[in-house]
Every structure is written in structure tokens, then in C-alpha cells.
Amino acid sequence: MSSSITNCCHFYVERARTTNRRTATWKSPRAAVIPCFHLPMRSNEVKNRTFAEDIKKLRLITAIKTPYLPDGRFDLEAYDALVNLQIENGVEGVIVGGTTGEGQLMSWDEHIMLIGHTINCFGGSIKVIGNTGSNSTREAIHATEQGFAVGMHAALHINPYYGKTSIEGLISHFDSVLPMGPTIIYNVPSRTGQDIPPHVIQTLAKSPNLAGVKECVGNDRVEQYTSNGLVVWSGNDDECHDSRWHHGATGVISVTSNLVPGLMRELMFGGNNPVLNSKLMPLVEWLFHEPNPIALNTALAQLGVVRPVFRLPYVPLTKAKREEFVKIVEKIGRENFIGERDVQVLDDNDFFLVGRY
């Protein structure tokens, strides 16, 4: 057979193959149609499935501090030690990346990583509640999906701040995240600039996923909710004793328990105890002399349990206030505070202030 005939035959064979490929029914690659139940987003499979009723039982929840290395990255070794101390002293839950944990200074990648880390290390011993709230509904949805996908037991949600919305907008915002899992709604008008009215909470309470409210308005509001069967945690350490024992609150979401978790457990579990409450008041007042978490960060550094590193815009308390803290520790008893080192005043130049991290 001549070469011209051979080439012609090859041409028609290849053309036939091309035609068959064009007319054949396309089938997706096998890997694309295999069901995957471990997608990180919008998966129906959720680690550590928890129900709102499990969260409603918690009496003492710590808004846990996030410690840093000198370059501003998370100090996970110090963080793990802090969480372990909470567990050892009877704390039942932690808020990860809340205001106290400086979630407002984290990227969402850092935020979700820390929630996942906490769950993986401690999720069997303590309830992990991730602060996945935002003033952007889109961000709140996205972060909450991720938080539940990595295993958090519940979400903490604040109302949209700065760019405030209407009452209808508030309801729509919370309705967008409540279906995902157990949720605590956080009302703190001093930070958001907008109160969440009781009738909004009553509307949202129709969802089986509403575990309760962290309420910072005061004990009159706490009793208004508890008398109607709603679960409430006091968001004010200076009011939490009376909230618990005189106004029906389930417990407290506390800053002070970072430092004295054992005493705060006694305050929430040991019955009406005005003597202990009065004993703790100087510490509580000191902690909130400046906006939280400035004093807490300073105190933990003075106790030697975290490095004296601050992510700006937070800066340590003045030396005079640090000296005051030493006296408070001595009066309450060093043995009641976490850590093993003697409390120190520290010099101003002992602190690291990090603006880029």
C-alpha cells in the first residue's frame, strides 16, 4: 500500500474517533460524583453534635483569654495551660475568641483554627462555645458553618454593631444562624450601641436551637427573661452572684474566672454567699477599671501564666494599677489565683506591644 493511501486511511480513522468523541454522552469523572461527608462547609455531618439542652445546664463559662508569643502569634502552649486550669477548677465551658479572647483582633482563619484546636484538645472535658458572631450576616453565617464543622458545641452571636440595623433586621440576622446549632445570643449595648429588646428574644426563642442569652443590661432584664422560662447567663461579673441566687440566672459567662476559677465556681454552685461576693468585688472592679480585656491581660502577665505581650490597640495598665493588683492578690490569697509564680508588678519595658502580626 502506497504511503498516500496509508495516510488517507489514518486521516479517516482519526476523524471517526473525533466524531465519536463529540457525539458521545459526556460522563463526569468518578471522583466528582463520589459523595463526600467531610466537606468543611455546609455539611450535614457535624462533629460533637450537641443540643441546646446540653448548653442550658452550664453554670460557669469562662470567656477565655488568648495569649501571644512576642511576635504576636498565638501562644498555644500557654493557652492550653489556661484551659487546663479552667477544667481542673470546675469550669464547664469556655467562650473562644470572644471580646475577652480578642476575637476582634483575629483573622477568621485564626479564629476558626483556635476553635478547632480547643475542641480537639479539650472538647471531651469542657463545652467549647465559639464566638462566630459578626455585624455582617454573611460573615456570621460563614464563620458559624466553619465553627460547627470543626466541632464547636455552640455559637455565641452578638447583634450587628456600628452599622446597626432595624428590629426586623435583627430578627433576620439571628434567624440566619440559629438553624445551624445551639446558640447563645449576647446582648451588650455598651459595646454594640444597640439593645436587643425582649420581644426580639421572645420571637427568637421559638427556635429549638436558642440555648439562652448572655445579658449585660442588668438584673431586672435577667428576671424578666427567667420568669418567662428563658435561660440567662449574667454577662456582668459584679452582678452575677445576685443574678444567680436572686433573679433566676442559670450562671455567668465570666472574665474573673480566668484568674480565680475555683472561687467563681463556689460563687455559682455554693449557694447564696454575699461574703465571698464582697471579697471578690475589689478584683472585679479592678478588672473593669479600663475596657476589658486590658486589665485581665495585665493580671495574667503579672501572675506569670502568659507572656506580657499585647496586640494593639490594647496596652497594659499603669504601674500604679499593677501595684494595686499585687495588693488585691495578697488580700484574696495567692493560692486562689491560677499559676504558681509569685505575683509581680513588672516594669513598663517588660511588655511587648505588637501592631503587625
Side-chain angles (χ1 to χ4, degrees), residues 10-206:
H10 286 167
F11 169 78
Y12 284 111
V13 169
E14 183 60 31
R15 183 175 181 180
R17 287 175 178 169
T18 302
T19 302
N20 288 338
R21 283 200 298 267
R22 288 174 179 171
T23 58
T25 302
W26 183 85
K27 295 181 180 180
S28 84
R30 178 175 173 76
V33 297
I34 295 176
C36 179
F37 299 109
H38 304 287
L39 294 172
M41 297 292 294
R42 299 182 177 88
S43 172
N44 290 326
E45 299 293 319
V46 178
K47 288 173 62 178
N48 302 322
R49 172 64 74 183
T50 304
F51 298 97
E53 294 302 318
D54 301 315
I55 305 301
K56 291 178 180 181
K57 300 172 185 176
L58 306 179
R59 297 283 185 266
L60 178 57
I61 302 170
T62 296
I64 195 75
K65 151 74 176 168
T66 307
Y68 305 115
L69 295 168
D71 62 3
R73 292 178 299 129
F74 294 162
D75 185 347
L76 291 178
E77 183 178 354
Y79 177 82
D80 291 352
L82 284 176
V83 177
N84 267 318
L85 287 167
Q86 298 297 308
I87 294 169
E88 290 171 3
N89 284 279
V91 173
E92 300 171 296
V94 287
I95 303 290
V96 179
T99 306
T100 304
E102 299 180 20
Q104 63 274 14
L105 304 185
M106 297 178 189
S107 69
W108 279 115
D109 286 342
E110 288 180 313
H111 214 126
I112 300 303
M113 181 280 286
L114 192 60
I115 293 172
H117 171 83
T118 311
I119 273 289
N120 289 331
C121 294
F122 307 105
S125 303
I126 198 166
K127 293 300 182 189
V128 178
I129 302 159
N131 171 33
T132 54
S134 172
N135 60 347
S136 161
T137 304
R138 174 179 174 271
E139 286 190 8
I141 291 171
H142 185 78
T144 304
E145 285 176 333
Q146 290 188 318
F148 279 119
V150 301
M152 70 182 183
H153 298 111
L156 179 73
H157 278 284
I158 201 165
N159 51 308
Y161 47 88
Y162 188 70
K164 297 183 290 186
T165 185
S166 62
I167 295 300
E168 292 76 11
L170 281 178
I171 294 172
S172 294
H173 175 82
F174 289 123
D175 277 343
S176 297
V177 293
L178 273 167
M180 298 181 198
T183 300
I184 297 173
I185 291 178
Y186 181 17
N187 186 34
V188 55
S190 63
R191 289 189 180 272
T192 64
Q194 183 181 36
D195 182 28
I196 305 175
H199 70 271
V200 169
I201 298 297
Q202 295 290 349
T203 300
L204 299 172
K206 297 173 184 177

Side-chain angles (χ1 to χ4, degrees), residues 55-56 183-186 209-214 230-233:
I55 305 301
K56 291 178 180 181
T183 300
I184 297 173
I185 291 178
Y186 181 17
N209 282 334
L210 182 64
V213 182
K214 177 184 177 183
L230 286 171
V231 171
V232 181
W233 293 271

